[in-house]
Amino acid sequence: DLVETVGTLLQTWSVSPETLILEITERTTLATQDFEALRQLHSLGVRLAIDDFGTGYSSLTYLRNLPLFEVKIDRSFVTDMVGNQDDANIVRSTIDLGHSMGLRVVAEGVSDAQTAEALVRLNCDYVQGFFVAHPMAGSEIATWVQGLGSKIEQRPGGK
């Protein structure tokens, strides 16, 4: 009932489907009917992302067979990429692979400026982690977002 439930909620709350990104952890084993449900969600306009990419066994199958919008590189590769050439190579290759397949790429687990800068040089689309923000209450988000404007303007290229 997932497709029907999501469609009903989008209509009930007047939410544009492309503003919703559903994450599927890569470790999840999907059956044939799950692939069909994900295709139906995609046809509604909902965006799909593979989370924890690189930690499971079916990564490339998912990239090939699912109507994905985004791939999220697992923190286990991102966290030490500045000091570990193997991790850096995996991150770079994953970014290149994602982009060549038309996907947006997010690096998870970014906790310092050095890692964030390395990801900018690799053309990673987005970073996620404590370097960006620590967990916060919903009431704190508006203030945090307002403070982003000056930080973004200071970055090369405004990203």
Side-chain angles (χ1 to χ4, degrees), residues 8 11 15 48 60 79 94:
T8 300
Q11 286 181 332
V15 173
L48 303 174
L60 298 177
T79 302
T94 304

Side-chain angles (χ1 to χ4, degrees), residues 30-84:
L30 298 176
T32 305
Q33 65 268 21
D34 298 327
F35 275 82
E36 183 55 34
L38 293 173
R39 285 186 186 96
Q40 290 174 10
L41 286 167
H42 175 74
S43 71
L44 287 178
V46 173
R47 295 177 173 181
L48 303 174
I50 287 288
D51 193 21
D52 300 334
F53 185 80
T55 60
Y57 299 104
S58 52
S59 310
L60 298 177
T61 300
Y62 285 175
L63 289 181
R64 183 186 67 203
N65 293 335
L66 290 176
L68 297 173
F69 168 74
E70 178 178 275
V71 62
K72 298 179 78 176
I73 305 170
D74 189 71
R75 65 181 300 118
S76 64
F77 303 110
V78 174
T79 302
D80 295 324
M81 66 176 276
V82 172
N84 181 316

Side-chain angles (χ1 to χ4, degrees), residues 80-132:
D80 295 324
M81 66 176 276
V82 172
N84 181 316
Q85 191 58 48
D86 289 338
D87 283 349
N89 288 336
I90 290 169
V91 169
R92 179 187 44 76
S93 298
T94 304
I95 292 168
D96 291 345
L97 175 63
H99 286 163
S100 70
M101 297 187 78
L103 301 174
R104 183 168 83 170
V105 181
V106 178
E108 298 179 314
V110 178
S111 58
D112 58 66
Q114 193 176 12
T115 302
E117 290 299 325
L119 289 160
V120 166
R121 287 191 301 275
L122 294 174
N123 295 314
C124 189
D125 299 306
Y126 293 92
V127 297
Q128 176 182 323
F130 290 157
F131 177 70
V132 177

Side-chain angles (χ1 to χ4, degrees), residues 5-18:
T5 300
V6 169
T8 300
L9 289 171
L10 290 170
Q11 286 181 332
T12 299
W13 296 102
S14 300
V15 173
S16 179
E18 59 273 357

